[in-house]
Amino acid sequence: MNKCPYCNTSYNEILQTGFVGCSRCYEEIEELKLAVKSMYGGKTHKGKRVAVEDGNL
């Protein structure tokens, strides 16, 4: 799909502005999914805190 059905943002608009219309764009716009996958591969977000081995912060 070339446009997000939720916010009506197109892939070309994202390329021109650098802004994604809504969080659903990542699921709905095939070109955006492919671009993100090529940039980040199989990496996943695992939180914003650094893991500490001994359990103390």
Side-chain angles (χ1 to χ4, degrees):
M1 178 175 287
N2 261 348
K3 256 185 182 182
C4 177
Y6 297 94
C7 68
N8 209 30
T9 300
S10 71
Y11 182 64
N12 285 336
E13 288 177 83
I14 294 169
L15 290 178
Q16 289 173 358
T17 65
F19 294 102
V20 177
C22 70
S23 62
R24 299 296 294 263
C25 289
Y26 293 103
E27 300 167 14
E28 300 293 334
I29 302 173
E30 193 63 34
E31 295 93 340
L32 183 57
K33 287 195 310 190
L34 294 172
V36 170
K37 187 172 184 163
S38 72
M39 285 188 284
Y40 297 105
K43 296 179 183 176
T44 58
H45 178 70
K46 296 182 180 170
K48 61 182 181 178
R49 287 194 168 180
V50 177
V52 179
E53 289 183 29
D54 64 357
N56 295 325
L57 293 179

